[in-house]
Amino acid sequence: MKIYKRLCYLLALVACINAHAQHSLVVKVNEPKGDIQKTMWGIFFEDINMGADGGIYAELVKNRSFEFYRPLMGWKVNQKNFREGAVLVMNRKANDSANPRFIRVTAAGGSKGDFGMTNEGFRGMGIKKDLRYDFSVQYRQVNPGIKMHVELVDSTGMVLGGTTVATDAPDTNWHKATASFTANATVMRAKMNLWFEGSGVIDLDMVSLFPSDTWKNRPGGLRADMVQKLADLKPGFIRFPGGCIVEGFDLSQRYQWKKTVGPVEQRQLIINRWNTEFTDRLTPDYYQTFGLGFFEYFQLAEDIGAEALPILNCGMACQFNSCELVPLDQLGPYVQDALDLIEFANGDVSTKWGKLRADMGHPAPFRLKMMGIGNENWGPQYVERLKIFTKAIKEKYPDFKLVNSSGTDPNGQRFDFLNTELRHMNADLIDEHYYRPPSWFFSNAKRYDTFPRNASKIFAGEYASHYSWDIDGTLRNNWIAALSEAAYMTGLERNADVVSMASYAPLFAHVDGWQWSPDLIWVNNLQSYGTPNYYVQQLFSVNKGNKILPITMNNMVIAGQDSLYATACFDTATNEIIVKLVNASANAQVGSINLAGVKKLAKEGSLTVLKSEDLLTANSFDQPQKVAPQQSAIPVKGKDIVLNAAPYSLNIVRVKMEK
Ligand code: AHR
């Protein structure tokens, strides 16, 4: 019954279904309307849904430094014969405020298997057969005599591999021990055991295990399959680290980039604000350890060819939560963080922050060009803080671009207030967010047609079509949502002279650890798959072009007539005309596309189609390509192409202009 009701809703939603057989579309190839920025289609990254810790950051040990609220969360002490105080949590805050806790292990002469500790991983540990695993630990011999072993086990206790860890430094200083071993089986949810053999006392901290197949094989790096998914989007930019995580529930939990750079053991972890945000999706073991910190974000951006777009706290905590404000006369350190970040990214190695970047392995500048001030902040309090940031940054870096928040919604009182204020301030980029039902996306494809052209540019910084608020796991990222985004995105591209950047949000979700749905890419401990929404993003991005071309039907932009949506562009690098056509109706529709104003075209173009007749269909780990692009050739007759657009489809035609 529930499904039936939804189908009725869907039918109503696409009520403009009309089975007109033939449509005449015209692309004016010699009348380009404006430029499409290289940054047009990008990525929004936030550590939500276990996107970073437990996700792309490949660390397998949860609570490696014992700094979670409960110091042994994720750990279990195993003792054949119980001894009080065999594992103690020590705190050296006076000496090390970033990483105060460690554990003191006292062993009393047992064999391997008698006394040890188990780490459960984030949601278990994804282990691959024949892959090398790299273990490391910081240790201090208090009373030598313990031989330490590490091993991986499956849920039955079967050993998947392991080794002895040499912790035999002759002094009582802290040292780092490393050990590697190869796994003998693939297991989705393994655990790691540490065994303490012999008798003695040893202190342990930063207990870590990484797979060796990280992105670019970087030790302590990122999960390669997840980064590859990002690289395959060919993103123009990557926004990080969020999202609400920038603001924090309160100011003490705000994101502070300076605490995320330098040696990993000195990056002071904080609770992840998504930990308790949704009472129906509580994730009490969700922290930000910042192994993926600002240096790694810049490096990631560089690796995947995207411009970095860091977003900084503007002196306001989340206005839905604590709503804490920094008094204006105390905003100095926040502004300084922004200035120092530019120095960290771009500064000469002789500068304080440029030197840190070099020490971390990247003497060359990252060439940061923009940053966002505030996430979803609003009201006069935001404007007065933003003005202080803008003045200080522009004074020092006049060409640096700033992204300004327009709040949480694309309309309403808050939006209107900010939109007016920010335009008075000549904002470089106004960040608009919309999480709306498919009907909104279909009916707003013309949103930017009437926006002022030579004024502030738009960054559609977070958007996603939400078909249903159900979180029962069956309605995530379905085709109706993706199709409506495609329809809407034709409007973004058609107005690329106003819209400079756009990104779907959120990006990643772990099936066993998510808080927010839908999301672009779903992962488990071993695999990841792209949703239909992912393929929509990818198709727009890899078929971007750099000049907007007018495309019309009956002399009008195509934004919903007969459930068709279209945009066209030209790619001067490849000399190709690119047409994107969304057919949001239940019937096939034929579009005869005239490419007016060209001299000569290739006799054949390419057609890429993303479609499903089932609007509720979704991809999954079992069927990751259920909705995925299919490519074929399409004939070109003179200056005309006949495109038979399947029901509920996104179609992309590329045709080369010949000299
Ligand atoms: O994308 C998830 C959240 O949605 C972001 O953190 C926030 O900016 C928005 O409310």
Side-chain angles (χ1 to χ4, degrees):
M1 193 58 191
K2 210 172 167 193
I3 295 285
Y4 175 70
K5 274 190 187 158
R6 285 183 192 148
L7 279 171
C8 291
Y9 166 68
L10 284 177
L11 289 174
L13 194 75
V14 287
C16 36
I17 292 167
N18 199 335
H20 287 307
Q22 188 86 27
H23 299 280
S24 294
L25 280 59
V26 179
V27 180
K28 293 193 175 149
V29 180
N30 54 359
E31 293 179 25
K33 259 182 49 188
D35 291 339
I36 300 171
Q37 301 303 314
K38 281 195 183 133
T39 49
M40 183 72 198
W41 307 113
I43 292 173
F44 163 93
F45 191 110
E46 177 165 24
D47 190 4
I48 182 173
N49 303 316
M50 293 203 156
D53 279 285
I56 201 168
Y57 182 51
E59 172 66 88
L60 294 169
V61 177
K62 182 166 76 182
N63 192 13
R64 63 186 174 189
S65 60
F66 312 102
E67 303 297 339
F68 284 18
Y69 167 66
R70 293 181 190 284
L72 290 185
M73 192 179 234
W75 292 93
K76 197 169 128 259
V77 178
N78 309 305
Q79 294 189 76
K80 245 184 198 159
N81 302 310
F82 178 77
R83 278 177 303 110
E84 197 67 65
V87 174
L88 296 173
V89 176
M90 313 295 284
N91 192 316
R92 60 189 152 183
K93 198 165 189 163
N95 298 331
D96 189 345
S97 58
N99 179 16
R101 291 197 192 128
F102 60 92
I103 54 165
R104 174 155 296 172
V105 175
T106 304
S111 336
K112 182 182 172 194
D114 287 347
F115 169 42
M117 295 178 76
T118 301
N119 188 276
E120 65 188 20
F122 288 88
R123 293 294 179 268
M125 299 176 179
I127 299 300
K128 295 180 203 159
K129 188 174 188 298
D130 295 333
L131 188 67
R132 194 190 79 229
Y133 286 84
D134 298 326
F135 174 83
S136 66
V137 63
Q138 290 191 352
Y139 74 97
R140 181 169 67 170
Q141 291 286 6
V142 180
N143 183 5
I146 293 182
K147 190 170 182 186
M148 189 161 103
H149 307 271
V150 57
E151 69 183 17
L152 287 167
V153 291
D154 72 3
S155 58
T156 68
M158 189 181 87
V159 177
L160 307 169
T163 188
T164 301
V165 186
T167 50
D168 46 11
D171 54 49
T172 53
N173 298 326
W174 282 98
H175 293 274
K176 183 174 178 178
T178 57
S180 296
F181 57 92
T182 300
N184 58 26
T186 295
V187 172
M188 184 68 84
R189 292 185 191 87
K191 293 179 183 175
M192 183 187 78
N193 289 333
L194 297 180
W195 293 117
F196 307 111
E197 188 187 341
S199 70
V201 183
I202 192 168
D203 291 343
L204 301 176
D205 198 4
M206 295 300 288
V207 186
S208 169
L209 185 72
F210 273 87
S212 57
D213 65 345
T214 53
W215 173 253
K216 290 186 181 282
N217 297 118
R218 288 194 185 117
L222 305 181
R223 235 177 87 169
D225 64 318
M226 291 173 70
V227 179
Q228 191 60 55
K229 285 270 179 323
L230 303 186
D232 291 346
L233 286 170
K234 303 234 179 308
F237 68 91
I238 176 167
R239 167 191 178 139
F240 59 87
C244 292
I245 218 162
V246 171
E247 302 156 56
F249 181 93
D250 59 22
L251 284 167
S252 73
Q253 290 176 16
R254 74 189 190 279
Y255 198 101
Q256 299 182 59
W257 75 266
K258 286 176 180 166
K259 295 189 175 182
T260 75
V261 292
V264 91
E265 62 278 8
Q266 283 304 313
R267 302 183 190 178
Q268 189 183 342
L269 66 68
I270 55 171
I271 200 164
N272 186 305
R273 57 112 353 104
W274 297 107
N275 176 312
T276 51
E277 184 71 21
F278 300 117
T279 47
D280 56 338
R281 302 289 311 171
L282 288 177
T283 323
D285 56 347
Y286 199 6
Y287 280 72
Q288 298 183 81
T289 63
F290 301 120
L292 169 57
F294 260 40
F295 177 85
E296 290 78 16
Y297 277 122
F298 282 125
Q299 200 174 39
L300 173 63
E302 185 174 75
D303 287 350
I304 61 177
E307 295 289 343
L309 172 52
I311 308 286
L312 297 196
N313 186 293
C314 64
M316 301 172 81
C318 179
Q319 287 161 273
F320 287 122
N321 297 150
S322 69
C323 210
E324 280 184 345
L325 289 177
V326 178
L328 292 180
D329 61 359
Q330 291 170 36
L331 202 58
Y334 288 70
V335 176
Q336 195 58 47
D337 275 358
L339 296 171
D340 290 344
L341 181 61
I342 301 174
E343 185 178 293
F344 177 71
N346 299 347
D348 188 83
V349 297
S350 60
T351 62
K352 174 179 173 193
W353 294 103
K355 178 176 181 314
L356 177 60
R357 182 192 70 242
D359 291 348
M360 291 184 75
H362 202 289
F366 281 118
R367 300 186 198 293
L368 180 67
K369 301 186 184 84
M370 56 189 167
M371 79 170 51
I373 305 300
N375 176 48
E376 284 181 345
N377 296 111
W378 66 77
Q381 297 77 16
Y382 173 59
V383 174
E384 53 193 9
R385 281 162 184 75
L386 178 64
K387 282 182 178 163
I388 296 172
F389 274 89
T390 306
K391 186 167 179 290
I393 296 169
K394 294 277 182 181
E395 247 169 41
K396 196 158 181 198
Y397 303 102
D399 296 332
F400 203 79
K401 299 281 179 235
L402 295 179
V403 170
N404 299 174
S405 160
S406 65
T408 54
D409 292 281
N411 48 24
Q413 224 178 354
R414 284 178 187 155
F415 176 85
D416 292 341
F417 168 76
L418 278 182
N419 195 36
T420 310
E421 289 286 323
L422 299 180
R423 284 172 188 281
H424 279 150
M425 287 168 65
N426 278 326
D428 296 323
L429 286 143
I430 299 178
D431 182 10
E432 298 189 352
H433 293 185
Y434 15 86
Y435 297 99
R436 291 287 189 272
S439 53
W440 187 92
F441 282 86
F442 282 123
S443 57
N444 275 274
K446 284 186 176 173
R447 176 177 174 88
Y448 297 110
D449 289 7
T450 49
F451 267 49
R453 310 324 276 186
N454 296 314
S456 298
K457 302 295 176 201
I458 298 299
F459 169 32
E462 291 184 31
Y463 63 91
S465 172
H466 285 193
Y467 165 66
S468 154
W469 285 103
D470 278 10
I471 49 168
D472 58 11
T474 60
L475 287 174
R476 300 176 192 159
N477 295 100
N478 55 20
W479 178 230
I480 178 86
L483 189 68
S484 66
E485 286 153 12
Y488 184 76
M489 288 162 73
T490 62
L492 299 185
E493 188 183 277
R494 193 176 58 246
N495 289 288
D497 54 330
V498 168
V499 182
S500 298
M501 304 165 77
S503 45
Y504 181 98
L507 180 63
F508 286 120
H510 190 296
V511 275
D512 297 327
W514 59 275
Q515 299 81 40
W516 179 299
S517 170
D519 306 284
L520 203 61
I521 299 167
W522 285 81
V523 309
N524 58 27
N525 286 346
L526 291 170
Q527 304 150 297
S528 47
Y529 73 83
T531 57
N533 318 68
Y534 173 88
Y535 289 114
V536 166
Q537 292 295 317
Q538 188 183 47
L539 287 180
F540 272 78
S541 181
V542 301
N543 293 292
K544 185 166 59 211
N546 60 331
K547 300 273 171 206
I548 314 163
L549 298 179
I551 179 167
T552 53
M553 191 164 77
N554 301 323
N555 282 322
M556 285 188 294
V557 296
I558 306 161
Q561 309 92 301
D562 294 328
S563 303
L564 292 176
Y565 301 80
T567 176
C569 60
F570 189 73
D571 186 349
T572 40
T574 60
N575 225 23
E576 283 173 300
I577 300 152
I578 307 169
V579 176
K580 301 183 183 77
L581 180 77
V582 171
N583 176 11
S585 86
N587 306 297
Q589 302 206 63
V590 179
S592 162
I593 308 173
N594 177 247
L595 302 174
V598 291
K599 285 200 182 114
K600 200 173 170 200
L601 293 168
K603 292 203 167 49
E604 195 176 88
S606 71
L607 170 65
T608 309
V609 180
L610 194 62
K611 63 174 182 179
S612 172
E613 294 210 11
D614 176 3
L615 287 170
L616 298 184
T617 202
N619 291 343
S620 63
F621 290 107
D622 292 336
Q623 291 183 288
Q625 301 268 308
K626 207 167 167 195
V627 184
Q630 290 158 1
Q631 205 174 323
S632 59
I634 187 164
V636 181
K637 294 201 177 109
K639 295 179 184 176
D640 294 296
I641 297 162
V642 177
L643 172 61
N644 191 349
Y648 305 133
S649 61
L650 162 63
N651 307 268
I652 298 183
V653 178
R654 293 184 79 110
V655 184
K656 215 173 182 73
M657 254 180 19
E658 294 199 333
K659 299 238 164 79

